Amino acid sequence: HLAYVIYTSGSTGRPKGVLIAHSQVTRLFAATAAWFQFDATDVWTLFHSIAFDFSVWELWGALFHGGRLIVVSQATTRAPAAFYELICRERVTVLSQTPSAFRHLIPAQGEALAAAHALRLVIFGGEALEVAMLAPWFARNGAARPQLINMYGITETTVHVTYRPLELADVTRGGASPIGCRIPDLRSYVLD
């Protein structure tokens, strides 16, 4: 019951096609449901290319829960001020971002203080998060709403494997990207 094939180079640097079954996509949302409480009132963005597995989380997260999905144009993904304005105008509640994309959104929010967002969750994935970069965001928004969450995963496991809510203490502590705990139906092996 193949849902899609997506290409990744993973840690090898050699591109390969990964076959993902429908059950893996539904499993991801079922296993994380208690953490996120997604529902039909959520507004998501499809910010990432469908060639990137993070788009699976964005697209199917909205559709599985009956939420609204805002498809972000390529031009808007490259214009942080326009993207932040879209987040505010469309009342986006669930935002999925790579840390490098969010790094550009932070100053855009700072320049548009009159605009109020409706974000309840910002979910990071796709690359390592340098938590110190979040200091200006926490200074303006606090740590409670939106909740910032770092997730780690690989394409072969269908987007996410671990979950870590972020706190202001993470920013002051600095250091490596905190990956947190495993999604309940998976196992994690940390190898040296």
Side-chain angles (χ1 to χ4, degrees), residues 63-109:
L63 298 178
F64 279 164
H65 299 95
R68 191 161 57 101
L69 180 67
I70 307 299
V71 179
V72 182
S73 72
Q74 185 177 21
T76 303
T77 65
R78 288 167 167 65
F83 182 50
Y84 184 72
E85 189 273 325
L86 177 141
I87 289 168
C88 296
R89 182 181 69 245
E90 297 294 339
R91 310 298 294 156
V92 172
T93 59
V94 179
L95 180 63
S96 299
Q97 290 278 273
T98 60
S100 56
F102 196 72
R103 179 183 301 276
H104 297 290
L105 192 62
I106 293 170
Q109 185 207 27

Side-chain angles (χ1 to χ4, degrees), residues 22-129:
H22 284 88
S23 61
Q24 280 298 100
V25 179
T26 57
R27 175 215 57 81
L28 173 65
F29 288 101
T32 59
W35 288 331
F36 296 111
Q37 302 295 308
F38 298 134
D39 64 29
T41 65
D42 280 318
V43 179
W44 298 62
T45 59
L46 179 59
F47 179 89
H48 299 92
S49 163
I50 60 169
F52 179 32
D53 68 344
F54 213 177
S55 69
V56 171
W57 176 256
E58 295 172 309
L59 176 64
W60 292 107
L63 298 178
F64 279 164
H65 299 95
R68 191 161 57 101
L69 180 67
I70 307 299
V71 179
V72 182
S73 72
Q74 185 177 21
T76 303
T77 65
R78 288 167 167 65
F83 182 50
Y84 184 72
E85 189 273 325
L86 177 141
I87 289 168
C88 296
R89 182 181 69 245
E90 297 294 339
R91 310 298 294 156
V92 172
T93 59
V94 179
L95 180 63
S96 299
Q97 290 278 273
T98 60
S100 56
F102 196 72
R103 179 183 301 276
H104 297 290
L105 192 62
I106 293 170
Q109 185 207 27
E111 295 164 5
L113 284 179
H117 65 75
L119 294 170
R120 71 177 188 90
L121 296 165
V122 176
I123 301 163
F124 297 110
E127 61 192 39
L129 172 66

Side-chain angles (χ1 to χ4, degrees), residues 176-190:
S177 182
I179 64 169
C181 65
R182 65 181 173 81
I183 292 175
D185 67 333
L186 297 176
R187 292 184 208 160
S188 295
Y189 297 95
V190 180

